[in-house]
Each structure stands twice: as C-alpha cells, then as structure tokens.
C-alpha cells in the first residue's frame, strides 16, 4: 500500500510540475494578477487550524520562490472569515485560496473578490460564487471507499441481493452541500441491494449526530440490531462516543475525515472506528498551489473534472483520490507524524492540473 501511495503522489506532483513548466514557458496570459518572475502574495483562508498551512506554503514556494503566503484561520467563525477576506483584498492580495467555513454563505465574498480583480480557488469545500477553480477530495471515490470499507467491516455474505447483514445506519453531510450529495450517491451505488439501510439522515450540523444515533438505535431495536455505521468526518467522534454510551462499542464505524481523535481510534483498533476515509492533505495542498500560480498568471485551467456550485457552472476542479486508513496502515506511520501522513492511498489513479493559454 505504501508503494501505491508513493505512486499516486509521484504522478500528481509530476503532472503539477509539468503544468508549471508549460505555464512559465508561455508567460502571463490575459487577466493576470501575478507572475512567477516577480512573485506575488497568495491569501490562504482556512476554516480551522491544520497541516494545510505548512504544506501549502512549501508547495507554493517550490513553484514560485518569490511568492508569499498571507494566512488567516477563521476558527470556525463565518463572520470572522468574511472580515479576513475583506482585509486581504484591502491589502492588495489578488489570489485567494478559500476553505470556506460555510460554503453557501461565501458567494458575497467571492463576488467582492472578483469585483476587485482577484482570483479565487475554492479549497476542500466548494464555495458559492464565481470561483475560478476548486480543489478537494474526489467525493465519488470517497463514498465508494466508505461503502466498501463498511461492507468489509460487517463481513457481508457474497450472495443474494438485499440479504446481507443489517440494518446499517447512514449519516450523511448537510443537505444542499454538493460534496455531501456526491458522497451519498456513491454510497448508495455500492450499498443498495447489498445491505439493509435501516436508518439514514442528512445532518444539518455535526452536533446532531449523537441525537440521530440514539434515535436510530431506539427505532431499530437496540445496538444488537445494528450491523455498522457510516458518517462524515466532522461527526465521527460524536458518533463513536454515542455508540459507546449506548453499549454499541463493537459496532463498526466507518468515517470520513482525518481528525486526530478518529485516527487515534483507528490506530488503537477501537471497534467503533474501524476505518476512516480522509483527504490526502499534501496532494490537495500541492494542487491548490499549482492552481493559484496558474490562475494568477491569467491562464485557463482544466482539472480532472468540472463542477457546479449552484451559482457558477463548469468550474474546473482537481479531485484528489482519498486515502483509506486502517489499523495496520495507521500503525505504520512513524511516531510523531501528523494525521496528514497516515494511511494508504486508494489505488484508483491520480489527479493533476492541465492548463491552456487564454
């Protein structure tokens, strides 16, 4: 699995490096707001503290040695992030990499940036508004990986549609979130007809997870009647705690996300966190740095797909394959390594960035 991860990273970085070389050969295009030769400032706005800052800075410096990163952490506060966007634009920052606290409320900020002549790369969460590009984990692969991990954890029979063990509990991301909707579709594409889905809810807020687990266990007849649980990463720790309180510590839990607490449960072999599917943070940061440099140069970017955020269609997107973390792969991480280094990549190909002159 380690060799597969290395292969994915090499392919991704090779494609990113190649596009950078092509971009430098062409020079700046129309609508450029920065050039590699002189350097420019990139605003990195994240919803919370994490490893992304160091990884992004390292990737950007490798591509643009004279570029600078202006960093802002919103600490989960939507209004605070709006003020941070305003300050960066007032300071003359014209390339923003935005990990929105609330993607649905980001449209006015993105529109303000565009009116100021700035470029916006949506990071991890697809912000509303006229963004120039988007980087995230591939939601279809993330959902498929979760579903396959859940099937493996509950040891389903190989024969007979709809006769697998169950029921299972599915907790999805927020209603109206395009990423969560794509993960949900992919989950159902694998699970439908193979297991009985006894309870499913879309979580408007991660804090609703514990209540939904309690309601599901009561409706389904108790912990013994639940074969497994699948949930988004923001809710995974709350779900694991709720299962433990209900006496369901042996029920397999498959989460999405690389929160430290979830990874610790996986590494320790805690039954309520059998597997987690998380973002390859280093690969996402590298792709975001590549996109920031290319859009700054005024070049048209083509990713691995195009997406729509409800306000803008055909947004070029780089969708990075997810990473599946099991007890064995988590245990293989060197002591002191961060959560962004844990796991083994899903061997379904690599993501890259391709650019074309305007």
């Amino acid at each position: 699995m380690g060799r597969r991860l290395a292969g994915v990273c090499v392919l991704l970085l090779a494609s990113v490096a190649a596009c950078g070389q092509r971009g430098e050969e062409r020079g700046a295009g129309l609508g450029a707001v920065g050039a590699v030769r002189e350097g420019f400032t990139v605003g990195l706005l994240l919803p919370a503290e994490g490893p992304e800052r160091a990884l992004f800075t390292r990737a950007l410096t490798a591509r643009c040695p004279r570029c600078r990163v202006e960093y802002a952490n919103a600490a989960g506060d939507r209004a605070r992030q709006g003020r941070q966007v305003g300050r960066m634009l007032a300071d003359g920052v014209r390339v923003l990499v935005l990990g929105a606290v609330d993607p649905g409320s980001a449209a006015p900020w993105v529109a303000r940036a565009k009116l100021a002549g700035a470029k916006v790369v949506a990071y991890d969460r697809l912000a509303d508004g006229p963004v120039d590009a988007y980087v995230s984990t591939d939601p279809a692969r993330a959902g498929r990986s979760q579903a396959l991990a859940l099937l493996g954890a509950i040891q389903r029979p190989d024969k007979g549609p709809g006769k697998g063990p169950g029921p299972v509990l599915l907790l999805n991301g927020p209603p109206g979130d395009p990423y969560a909707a794509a993960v949900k579709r992919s989950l159902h594409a694998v699970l439908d007809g193979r297991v009985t889905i006894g309870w499913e809810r879309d979580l408007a807020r991660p804090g609703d997870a514990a209540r939904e687990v309690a309601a599901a266990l009561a409706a389904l007849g108790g912990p013994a009647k639940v074969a497994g649980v699948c949930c988004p990463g923001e809710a995974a720790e709350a779900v694991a705690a709720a299962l433990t309180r209900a006496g369901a510590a042996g029920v397999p839990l498959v989460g999405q996300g690389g929160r430290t607490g979830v990874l610790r449960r996986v590494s320790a072999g805690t039954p309520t966190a059998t597997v987690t599917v998380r973002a390859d943070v280093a690969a996402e940061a590298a792709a975001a740095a590549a996109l920031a440099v290319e859009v700054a140069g005024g070049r048209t970017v083509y990713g691995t797909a195009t997406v729509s955020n409800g306000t803008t269609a055909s947004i070029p997107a780089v969708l990075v394959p997810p990473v599946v973390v099991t007890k064995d792969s988590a245990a293989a991480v060197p002591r002191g390594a961060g959560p962004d280094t844990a796991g083994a990549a899903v061997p379904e190909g690599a993501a890259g960035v391709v650019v074309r002159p305007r």
Side-chain angles (χ1 to χ4, degrees):
M1 295 296 281
R3 288 192 296 271
R4 290 173 179 167
L5 175 59
V8 169
C9 291
V10 167
L11 286 171
L12 173 65
L13 294 174
S15 61
V16 168
C19 83
Q21 292 166 0
R22 290 193 295 270
E24 290 167 5
E25 289 167 2
R26 284 192 304 273
L30 296 176
V33 296
V36 171
R37 185 180 295 107
E38 292 82 18
F40 51 90
T41 299
V42 178
L44 177 63
L45 300 111
L46 298 179
E49 190 62 52
E52 294 89 350
R53 179 183 183 182
L55 292 168
F56 178 83
T57 301
R58 189 182 311 142
L60 181 69
T61 301
R63 298 181 56 80
C64 179
R66 298 190 178 207
C67 284
R68 300 162 300 281
V69 175
E70 185 171 331
Y71 171 73
N73 168 17
D77 188 326
R78 179 178 61 189
R80 179 179 180 180
Q81 188 168 66
R83 293 191 296 270
Q84 291 169 343
V85 170
R87 281 197 297 270
M88 286 192 184
L89 293 175
D91 290 342
V93 178
R94 292 297 176 261
V95 182
L96 303 179
V97 175
L98 175 63
V101 171
D102 180 3
S105 300
W109 311 340
V110 176
R112 180 179 176 183
K114 301 304 289 184
L115 287 173
K119 309 290 186 179
V120 180
V121 176
Y123 183 81
D124 198 45
R125 302 172 178 181
L126 181 55
D128 282 2
V131 300
D132 294 281
Y134 173 50
V135 176
S136 186
T137 303
D138 187 327
R141 293 182 180 182
R144 174 180 170 81
S145 297
Q146 281 184 276
L148 292 175
L150 182 63
L151 290 177
I154 64 179
Q155 298 179 341
R156 67 172 182 84
D158 292 329
K159 297 182 179 180
K163 295 183 180 180
V168 297
L169 166 60
L170 299 185
L171 298 176
N172 306 308
D177 183 330
Y179 186 93
V183 171
K184 181 178 177 179
R185 286 194 299 271
S186 191
L187 278 170
H188 279 279
V190 175
L191 296 177
D192 289 353
R194 296 186 179 184
V195 294
T196 299
I197 299 172
W199 186 276
E200 182 174 15
R201 293 290 187 275
D202 296 343
L203 299 176
R205 297 172 298 276
D208 296 339
R211 185 182 68 247
E212 288 295 342
V213 169
L217 293 177
L220 298 175
K225 300 295 184 180
V226 177
V229 182
C230 194
C231 71
E234 307 85 55
E237 291 182 67
V239 170
L243 290 172
T244 300
R245 286 194 300 270
V251 174
L253 169 63
V254 176
Q256 182 185 350
R259 300 291 181 98
T260 302
V262 178
L263 289 171
R264 189 179 299 116
R265 286 176 178 272
V266 173
S267 181
T270 304
T272 50
T274 308
V275 177
T276 187
V277 178
R278 65 160 184 84
D280 186 336
V281 184
E284 285 190 14
L291 288 171
V293 171
E294 297 301 332
V295 299
R299 291 177 285 274
T300 301
V301 178
Y302 296 88
T304 59
T306 57
V307 297
S308 171
N309 60 8
T311 57
T312 305
S314 300
I315 300 168
V318 174
L319 301 179
V320 179
V323 172
V324 176
V325 183
T326 65
K327 179 182 178 182
D328 291 340
S329 61
V333 179
R335 185 179 299 276
D340 56 294
T341 62
V346 179
E348 294 190 38
V353 183
V354 177
V355 296
R356 298 286 186 270
R358 288 189 185 277

